[in-house]
Amino acid sequence: MKFGVIRRMSSSFSRALDLLPPSLNWVNNDFYTGSGKGLDVINKATGGVVMTSASASDADVHNAVQSAHAAYQKFRDMPAAERGQLLLKAATLLEERTADFAHLETLDTGKPFYESEMDVGTGVDALRFIGGIVQNYHGNHYDLGGNFAYTSREPLGVIGGIGPWNYPLQTACWKIAPALACGNSLVYKCSEYTPLSTVALAALLKEAGLPAGVLNIVAGDGSVGAALTSHPDVSKLSFTGSVPTGKRIMSKASDSLKKVTLELGGKSPLIIFDDVDMKNAVSTAMLANFFSQGAVCSNGTRVFVHRSILQEFTSQLVERTKKLKIGNPMEDGVKVGATICKMQYDKILNYLDIARKEGAEVLCGGGPVTPDNPDLAGGLYIAPTVLGNCTDDMTVVKEEVFGPVLSILVFDTEEEVIRRANDTPFGLAAAVCTQNLSRAYRVISKLEAGSCNINTFNAYPAVIPFGGYKNSGIGRELGEECLNYYSQTKSVYVETGDPWCPFE
């Protein structure tokens, strides 16, 4: 697996194939041959198998945890400034190899190459931000009039990370950076659908100077995650994925009182008021729905549009959505790539069938697409879809589709739309489009969501925390706040004189 600074090879997967690793598991700073069942890595654009590697077994997970536990005993004592410098070096290396990692990410996820480049960039940002602030992350001193007390932040131990298939590299960076910055070691389970960039990241961190055993990667399906979740030497679990899986992980973690961070699903509202710049409002709706073939947990799939501008907004949105180029994700100009797997493909199409039956109107898209290129015949492609005539009680409006499906809902008053926007068990994200900033601040303050935007969507820079309310999760990624979830507080009281004691 040899990385170098290269330029993109347009319309070709040859560079990604050159970068395939010898194994999908990484233990003790080396590729590790698992003893689990075979795991096929699929080129999502073509449907072809590009490599097969053994996944991790329960015994392999145990070995990875033991490696992490042994490494933790020394790594926790590395000064925070040195851990930060290690992450900063890794950020520089990753940035230099953006094209290589983007090739792997596009092969693995099916998303357009330009999106994969963006995902590498957000991973770099996380490593760089966390690496830059950790040496100033500390406890407090309390003057008690002669005596004093202080607090310190200490690592938790071995962290178990479980990543999703839609943003494999970005999410790995979001979890690995704070875990290592705080002095923990980590065993990270990448998705069985998208394992490539995560194991490549582990090799890069070794090059940056990460000691052996501090980061370990195990690949495989839910059984691998279950083994990691139940392991007695894992102190905390950080999971990104679906609400049902997150609840199962939390339930299992409670058996041993493991700490948990959960970044789960959403059904986020985007509210378009009548005073918007129409082009920008349409752009925001597209940003909220069509990245990564719609597989974004924070997507604003419930688009509430003021009645007075409904016709104009819908016309412009449909016109622009129809122009989105679908096809080979390595080609310039392609905006929509391939769906991750047959199960997800069928799930999205089923939601569209239900939407039609329940009265939604398909304004554009609404089904499969067969690209002209015969090489892509084995890929699974769905046209970006805009649904009109939607109501709050429709299945497609209430449940997370995780596909390129935008539902338009009409509203009349501010109070009404706030109530309807909050009428969901989810609370990951929300956004408001308006030129009236007083109204923007007022409405945002009343929306029950953890990660909000005004006049854009899905903008989450590394400096601010990301996470949700209600069923959308527990804890936060990014921002300085994320370090609180990868460390624990020790309180120390210091008696400088004779201790007070009433006992003779």
Side-chain angles (χ1 to χ4, degrees), residues 481-492:
E481 184 177 344
C482 77
L483 299 177
N484 296 340
Y485 297 97
Y486 289 89
S487 61
Q488 54 195 340
T489 301
K490 175 175 284 185
S491 299
V492 180

Side-chain angles (χ1 to χ4, degrees), residues 252-293:
K252 188 63 180 176
S254 69
D255 291 344
S256 53
L257 293 181
K258 288 180 172 62
K259 295 176 174 61
V260 295
T261 298
L262 304 174
E263 195 270 279
L264 307 178
K267 196 67 186 175
S268 303
L270 166 60
I271 302 173
I272 311 290
F273 283 100
D274 55 358
D275 63 341
V276 294
D277 176 288
M278 191 61 68
K279 180 180 179 182
N280 288 342
V282 171
S283 294
T284 298
M286 298 178 77
L287 289 169
N289 282 276
F290 298 139
F291 276 126
S292 295
Q293 295 76 252

Side-chain angles (χ1 to χ4, degrees), residues 184-443:
N184 304 286
S185 59
L186 183 70
V187 178
Y188 189 89
K189 185 199 109 51
C190 50
S191 168
E192 65 269 35
Y193 295 110
T194 53
L196 295 177
S197 61
T198 307
V199 73
L201 179 65
L204 181 144
L205 281 159
K206 175 185 177 180
E207 186 178 345
L210 188 67
V214 175
L215 173 63
N216 304 273
I217 309 296
V218 288
D221 59 17
S223 64
V224 178
L228 185 59
T229 298
S230 61
H231 199 287
D233 290 334
V234 172
S235 301
K236 178 228 169 68
L237 294 160
S238 179
F239 169 76
T240 296
S242 71
V243 173
T245 303
K247 288 181 176 181
R248 289 196 297 272
I249 287 173
M250 188 172 182
S251 176
K252 188 63 180 176
S254 69
D255 291 344
S256 53
L257 293 181
K258 288 180 172 62
K259 295 176 174 61
V260 295
T261 298
L262 304 174
E263 195 270 279
L264 307 178
K267 196 67 186 175
S268 303
L270 166 60
I271 302 173
I272 311 290
F273 283 100
D274 55 358
D275 63 341
V276 294
D277 176 288
M278 191 61 68
K279 180 180 179 182
N280 288 342
V282 171
S283 294
T284 298
M286 298 178 77
L287 289 169
N289 282 276
F290 298 139
F291 276 126
S292 295
Q293 295 76 252
V296 184
C297 54
S298 56
N299 266 356
T301 55
R302 295 185 296 145
V303 180
F304 293 90
V305 182
H306 193 274
R307 190 179 302 276
S308 65
I309 61 170
L310 177 64
Q311 184 174 351
E312 182 183 0
F313 174 86
T314 302
S315 175
Q316 291 192 28
L317 174 63
V318 170
E319 180 183 4
R320 288 175 59 180
T321 301
K322 286 180 177 179
K323 293 178 181 178
L324 296 178
K325 185 177 180 181
I326 307 167
N328 183 347
M330 287 301 301
E331 284 187 7
D332 289 326
V334 168
K335 301 301 182 184
V336 181
T339 305
I340 194 74
C341 66
K342 185 64 163 57
M343 180 176 65
Q344 187 65 22
Y345 176 82
D346 290 342
K347 176 184 174 183
I348 297 167
L349 295 181
N350 184 56
Y351 271 114
L352 290 172
D353 287 342
I354 294 172
R356 291 184 181 93
K357 292 175 182 176
E358 293 182 347
E361 180 184 0
V362 177
L363 303 177
C364 65
V369 174
T370 302
D372 294 333
N373 186 344
D375 292 340
L376 307 180
L380 302 169
Y381 297 84
I382 296 175
T385 299
V386 176
L387 300 178
N389 197 37
C390 295
T391 58
D392 295 350
D393 59 349
M394 288 181 176
T395 303
V396 74
V397 173
K398 294 190 298 182
E399 298 182 8
E400 186 177 34
V401 177
F402 225 55
V405 181
L406 181 160
S407 299
I408 297 177
L409 301 124
V410 65
F411 76 94
D412 293 297
T413 69
E414 180 179 312
E415 293 76 14
E416 168 210 345
V417 77
I418 291 171
R419 173 182 55 78
R420 292 169 60 195
N422 288 335
D423 187 17
T424 173
F426 300 104
L428 183 53
V432 174
C433 286
T434 177
Q435 296 189 61
N436 183 334
L437 288 182
S438 294
R439 175 163 60 189
Y441 299 148
R442 182 173 65 247
V443 173

Side-chain angles (χ1 to χ4, degrees), residues 26-63:
W26 177 271
V27 177
N28 209 31
N29 259 5
D30 203 356
F31 292 105
Y32 177 92
T33 302
S35 57
K37 60 186 177 183
L39 179 62
D40 291 337
V41 176
I42 308 294
N43 181 342
K44 307 308 184 296
T46 67
V49 177
V50 296
M51 70 173 286
T52 299
S53 178
S55 61
S57 65
D58 288 1
D60 297 327
V61 172
H62 178 71
N63 288 341

Side-chain angles (χ1 to χ4, degrees), residues 104-123:
L104 284 177
E105 201 78 333
T106 293
L107 174 74
D108 226 7
T109 64
K111 67 176 64 179
F113 185 85
Y114 83 95
E115 282 195 47
S116 295
E117 289 183 308
M118 292 167 56
D119 293 352
V120 177
T122 57

